[in-house]
């Protein structure tokens, strides 16, 4: 089985769209993350849900996590304010990070290896430079386990026939 | 708002239980990960879905990810075989990793900071050494955005009254 056979449709957001809407998307649909593209449909970033959570953490806390403990509850509760009027691009870290992506022809193990090496619960699948679909960790496990189950069942059937 | 007010029930698995069942749990319920405990209910590990995917990657590929490309499709498709008859403990990496956990009294920003620093989409909330509940990234975002919305609505109402 190859990546392009098991990938699925997945919400894609524009890098210059609202960060608040992106966070809402993750919250409402319990998504493992989001795929960020440019206006000309080029893959720009893959953000895990925990990286989207970073959007609501004030920059001075991101720089010094120990400051999180001294923040008053009333200020912590207004965390979402940081997202208002901001685009995803404005909240993304400046430093370039490895972009997780699989090729349409990659096997399950190749996708699994990218997933666990980059610790990304979602992997965009590219075909000829274009986004073909996305494989989530739960989708990959479902496919892998189903394969195993089918094989197991076949094996049992053979065993019974014998 | 404090961690213990927003945490939720979440599937917990025993470290000596079947790795296959744990992977199935993640696959079937599209979970962001699993919380692993010992027989005496002590927190043992928090595995993200991408770390559970690691369970199906052969050890020699984990050690040298480049080997993933040379694996035949027929072998890759039998990935789930690696899980059969194995416990979670047997498949966990030996090296100790930081255990993400929040305290019952932590604020939203404290939980968010742990989440994004450790890149974990789920954080167990502890109260007096016992697991009180779990906060997922999507839950945290939902709570944070709802707070913001309530506040925004209140502000608008005040503005109208004026």
């Amino acid at each position: 089985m190859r990546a392009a056979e098991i990938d699925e449709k997945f919400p894609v957001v524009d890098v210059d769209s609202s960060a608040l809407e992106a966070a809402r998307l993750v919250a409402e649909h319990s998504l493992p993350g989001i795929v960020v593209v440019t206006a000309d449909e080029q893959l720009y970033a893959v953000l895990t849900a925990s990286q989207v959570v970073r959007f609501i953490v004030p920059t001075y806390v991101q720089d010094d996590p120990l400051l999180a403990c001294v923040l008053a509850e009333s200020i912590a509760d207004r965390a979402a304010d940081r997202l208002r009027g901001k685009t995803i691009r404005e909240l993304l870290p400046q430093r370039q990070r490895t972009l997780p992506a699989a090729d349409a022809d990659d096997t399950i193990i190749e996708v699994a290896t990218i997933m666990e090496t980059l610790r990304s619960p979602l992997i965009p699948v590219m075909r000829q430079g274009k986004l073909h679909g996305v494989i989530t960790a739960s989708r990959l496990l479902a496919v892998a386990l189903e394969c195993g189950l089918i094989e197991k069942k076949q094996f049992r059937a053979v065993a019974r026939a014998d």
Side-chain angles (χ1 to χ4, degrees), chain A:
Chain A
M1 235 171 330
R2 302 289 174 169
E5 294 170 66
I6 62 171
D7 64 3
E8 298 174 300
K9 281 190 181 178
F10 198 84
V12 165
V13 293
D14 190 285
V15 66
D16 292 309
S17 66
S18 155
L20 187 60
E21 287 308 314
R24 234 174 235 158
L25 199 67
V26 172
E28 282 170 15
H29 302 278
S30 296
L31 298 180
I34 41 168
V35 174
V36 183
V37 294
T38 56
D40 56 345
E41 298 286 313
Q42 292 298 301
L43 192 61
Y44 186 88
V46 177
L47 298 178
T48 67
S50 59
Q51 287 172 314
V52 176
V53 163
R54 185 189 170 96
F55 286 178
I56 64 166
V57 178
T59 316
Y60 55 90
V61 177
Q62 285 179 27
D63 294 339
D64 183 1
L66 290 176
L67 288 179
C69 321
V70 297
L71 217 62
E73 189 177 350
S74 56
I75 294 181
D77 283 354
R78 275 166 32 213
D81 285 356
R82 213 176 94 76
L83 276 73
R84 288 190 206 298
K86 294 270 175 64
T87 65
I88 296 172
R89 191 192 296 270
E90 287 173 288
L91 294 181
L92 281 184
Q94 288 305 308
R95 63 184 174 84
Q96 193 63 33
R97 48 179 87 229
T98 315
L99 200 57
D103 187 79
D105 289 329
D106 283 352
T107 64
I108 288 181
I109 289 297
E110 284 176 284
V111 178
T113 304
I114 299 170
M115 211 170 249
E116 71 110 1
T117 308
L118 299 179
R119 294 190 61 184
S120 176
L122 68 167
I123 303 288
V125 177
M126 309 301 288
R127 173 168 270 170
Q128 293 165 341
K130 285 193 172 163
L131 183 67
H132 184 271
V134 166
I135 301 175
T136 62
S138 53
R139 169 71 176 162
L140 187 86
L141 287 170
V143 170
L145 300 180
E146 205 182 313
C147 284
L149 287 176
I150 290 164
E151 201 175 75
K152 190 85 174 174
K153 274 178 200 157
Q154 282 169 344
F155 173 76
R156 274 188 194 150
V158 171
R160 254 185 240 127
D162 283 346

